[in-house]
DNA sequence: TGTATTGTACTAGGCACGTAGTACATGCAG
DNA sequence: CTGCATGTACTACGTGCCTAGTACAATACA
């Protein structure tokens, strides 16, 4: 959770929860902390949490009810989380590949650059 | 040249010239059209062209002199253009790979997504 | 029924960035 | 020296987006 990463806070929260669901660290039916709780834990404004929740609901990963709280959706949450992850990565890769093509980089160079990027960022685990 | 692509105009210009140099469509020592000329050709403000030129100069691809004009640098322009292209693509790929990792996508899935992206965007040529 | 707790909707401030505009410095030619 | 064309520097405007704040609606429970 880094406010000055240039990367929006609410998206960082979305990613973390989304990943937790995809990996199984959060299970379908499980209740999430309240907006206030998360806000005070992460030292951000409740509105920012709310926005992240709205996004997660829109993605089909979380269900929220006013006066009750928020839960990981019982049906399809895990699948939705995986699908969302795949879509996000696919579109990021598409952007990179399109740029490569626009700049006149050929398939082989592109492949090498990709391999090297993977080596760099997937060093130990994953 | 699409003003409403969400992608900055001056960067589109930078990319086009940079690619033209890398590919050899613009040769070292060759003079570029004037700022006004480019502006009227591309239907954008001269300041936008100027910004693109400034960027290209900073990248070591172009040399500009007030009162004279702009030229593709005689020494190293082609190499610089290729290097810049490589760097840009590498950083775009790094962003995608980092995101993949953050979202819990494993190596195999990532590789598949990449292959499919390449298939999509390098269909015919290149 | 009333109160507390939860999420929601809406608004406003601020910041970053791209673009346009204008005035300026530089070089060349007559 | 003068006039013209070139690139340059600086400023101002507009826009989009994130974040914070505030008021509101919905639910649970005593």
């Amino acid at each position: 959770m880094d406010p000055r990463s240039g990367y929006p806070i609410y998206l960082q929260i979305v990613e973390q929860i989304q990943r937790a669901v995809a990996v199984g660290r959060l299970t379908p039916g499980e209740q999430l902390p309240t907006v206030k709780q998360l806000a005070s834990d992460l030292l951000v404004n409740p509105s920012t949490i709310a926005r992240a929740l709205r996004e997660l609901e829109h993605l089909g990963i979380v269900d929220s009810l006013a006066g009750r709280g928020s839960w990981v959706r019982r049906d399809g949450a895990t699948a939705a989380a995986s699908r969302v992850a795949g879509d996000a990565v696919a579109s990021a890769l598409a952007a990179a590949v399109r740029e490569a093509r626009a700049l006149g980089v050929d398939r082989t160079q592109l492949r090498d650059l990709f391999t090297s990027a993977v080596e760099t960022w997937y060093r130990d685990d994953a």
Side-chain angles (χ1 to χ4, degrees), chain A:
Chain A
M1 204 60 21
D2 182 7
R4 57 213 159 135
S5 71
Y7 196 80
I9 301 174
Y10 81 97
L11 284 181
Q12 297 182 43
I13 299 169
V14 167
E15 284 195 7
Q16 290 214 4
I17 295 181
Q18 178 262 316
R19 170 172 194 182
V21 171
V23 167
R25 204 166 64 246
L26 283 174
T27 60
E30 186 169 354
Q31 180 165 13
L32 298 174
T34 71
V35 168
K36 278 187 185 174
Q37 190 62 44
L38 280 172
S40 82
D41 286 358
L42 304 178
L43 298 174
V44 301
N45 193 285
S47 296
T48 304
I49 305 291
R51 176 156 190 186
L53 250 53
R54 183 157 30 113
E55 191 70 16
L56 285 163
E57 179 153 21
H58 187 257
L59 294 174
I61 298 174
V62 162
D63 263 342
S64 294
L65 288 88
R68 303 243 318 157
S70 301
W71 289 263
V72 178
R73 278 191 59 166
R74 289 204 169 278
D75 51 338
T78 308
S82 299
R83 180 177 47 73
V84 165
D87 289 354
V89 172
S91 102
L93 282 174
V97 173
R98 259 187 289 116
E99 180 166 16
R101 209 198 128 117
L103 292 176
V105 173
D106 67 42
R107 270 189 170 87
T108 308
Q109 293 171 340
L110 180 55
R111 221 168 251 296
D112 290 347
L113 289 170
F114 174 74
T115 304
S116 134
V118 171
E119 283 311 310
T120 302
W121 296 99
Y122 279 76
R123 206 155 275 286
D124 341 293
D125 44 9

